[in-house]
Amino acid sequence: MTHFISPKLLIPIVFISPFLFIPSALHTEPAMAADCINRACIDVYTQNGEIIIEGRKGASPAAKPKPQPKPKPKPTIAPKPRVIAPKPKVVFPPKPETTIKVKPRVRTTSQPRKKVVRKVLPKVVPKVVPKVTTGVSLNDRLVKLLPMGAIARQPARNAIVKVPVIYWCNLPEVFTTKVAIVGEVIDVTMRPSFLWSFGDGSFFATTKAGAAFPHETISHTYNHAGTYLVTMLATWGGTWSHNGVVRAITGEVRKVSITTMSVANGPIRITG
């Protein structure tokens, strides 16, 4: 007897790395790309090891109105010509010219001539009132840098074989920043994960930055004397929120820190 399993009952299996950061209570929404006139369109992503925050609000200057179809011309009917008889012109006889005699004006010497005083009015400069236009497009792009981490170790010098060396870095385990763009406030939260390479082929992955003695969160013991190249890779990932909605930041930021560690042989004890 053959049994068939419906494809709807198949459940995909997803392997999740133990060092992958998954923020709690993450609520995602589809990207807003169409309606950026009445509300702000925000996008946060990583590029070349930096956090890029872009915002757009209002009418886009590149947006052009869709061409509307031209209406078809309606056929016009030519009107019939009307014949209008010209009116006869009326000719009036010319009016006789009349002459007006002007008496000469006689000015006596006893009366002084009045001076004419002209008033000079000040020039009126019109006030220029700036025009306020609606539907202005706001576009902005901000770049945020993450802190660089420095490697610290204990002991700082003269490490000995078979004795643990404690490592840590000065990076925060949570990086938060508040950004204002196109009149909106964006909250960015980033968390790092660390991958240590101790130079002798050993690796250690953690989400802790480590600390000095007596907290041995990150430590390593060398079995042979020599000079080792210690590398720490910090991978940043996180979320950003706007108007109470949390979204994941696209991409990740990686920062590398390098130092050298010299290890010597310990004193030889001879017992008899």
Side-chain angles (χ1 to χ4, degrees), residues 104-173:
R105 186 177 180 182
V106 179
R107 186 179 64 182
T108 59
T109 57
S110 60
Q111 297 177 354
R113 188 174 182 180
K114 296 182 180 180
K115 294 183 179 181
V116 179
V117 180
R118 296 181 179 179
K119 295 182 180 181
V120 179
L121 299 177
K123 294 183 179 180
V124 179
V125 179
K127 296 182 179 180
V128 179
V129 181
K131 296 181 179 180
V132 180
T133 58
T134 59
V136 178
S137 176
L138 299 177
N139 293 274
D140 202 356
R141 185 175 186 269
L142 302 177
V143 177
K144 282 289 182 180
L145 299 177
L146 290 169
M148 292 291 296
I151 298 176
R153 58 183 182 266
Q154 196 176 27
R157 298 178 181 177
N158 302 325
I160 302 174
V161 174
K162 304 295 183 179
V163 177
V165 179
I166 302 174
Y167 290 98
W168 71 92
C169 66
N170 60 348
L171 286 177
E173 295 182 1

Side-chain angles (χ1 to χ4, degrees), residues 29-257:
E29 278 192 354
M32 297 180 295
D35 186 11
C36 298
I37 298 177
N38 298 325
R39 59 179 180 176
C41 288
I42 309 296
D43 190 15
V44 182
Y45 58 93
T46 61
Q47 186 179 23
N48 298 329
E50 301 172 340
I51 304 175
I52 310 298
I53 305 171
E54 292 184 351
R56 182 162 62 92
K57 180 191 292 186
S60 176
K64 297 181 179 179
K66 295 182 179 180
Q68 298 181 356
K70 296 181 179 180
K72 295 182 179 179
K74 297 181 180 180
T76 56
I77 301 175
K80 295 181 179 180
R82 297 175 62 185
V83 180
I84 301 174
K87 295 181 179 181
K89 294 183 179 181
V90 180
V91 180
F92 297 93
K95 295 181 179 181
E97 296 181 357
T98 57
T99 57
I100 300 174
K101 295 181 179 180
V102 180
K103 294 181 180 182
R105 186 177 180 182
V106 179
R107 186 179 64 182
T108 59
T109 57
S110 60
Q111 297 177 354
R113 188 174 182 180
K114 296 182 180 180
K115 294 183 179 181
V116 179
V117 180
R118 296 181 179 179
K119 295 182 180 181
V120 179
L121 299 177
K123 294 183 179 180
V124 179
V125 179
K127 296 182 179 180
V128 179
V129 181
K131 296 181 179 180
V132 180
T133 58
T134 59
V136 178
S137 176
L138 299 177
N139 293 274
D140 202 356
R141 185 175 186 269
L142 302 177
V143 177
K144 282 289 182 180
L145 299 177
L146 290 169
M148 292 291 296
I151 298 176
R153 58 183 182 266
Q154 196 176 27
R157 298 178 181 177
N158 302 325
I160 302 174
V161 174
K162 304 295 183 179
V163 177
V165 179
I166 302 174
Y167 290 98
W168 71 92
C169 66
N170 60 348
L171 286 177
E173 295 182 1
V174 179
F175 174 79
T176 59
T177 181
K178 191 179 293 292
V179 180
I181 186 171
V182 294
E184 304 291 331
V185 178
I186 310 300
D187 293 319
V188 178
T189 302
M190 302 288 286
R191 297 177 184 271
S193 60
F194 306 97
L195 179 62
W196 290 82
S197 174
F198 300 108
D200 59 349
S202 301
F203 296 89
F204 180 71
T206 180
T207 57
K208 302 294 182 179
F213 183 84
H215 304 284
E216 298 183 15
T217 307
I218 305 170
S219 63
H220 182 67
T221 302
Y222 294 92
N223 297 322
H224 303 282
T227 301
Y228 299 94
L229 187 66
V230 181
T231 305
M232 183 200 66
L233 173 63
T235 303
W236 294 85
T239 59
W240 63 278
S241 62
H242 176 229
N243 292 335
V245 181
V246 181
R247 302 176 179 87
I249 296 177
T250 305
E252 58 187 13
V253 178
R254 296 183 177 181
K255 301 287 185 179
V256 179
S257 301

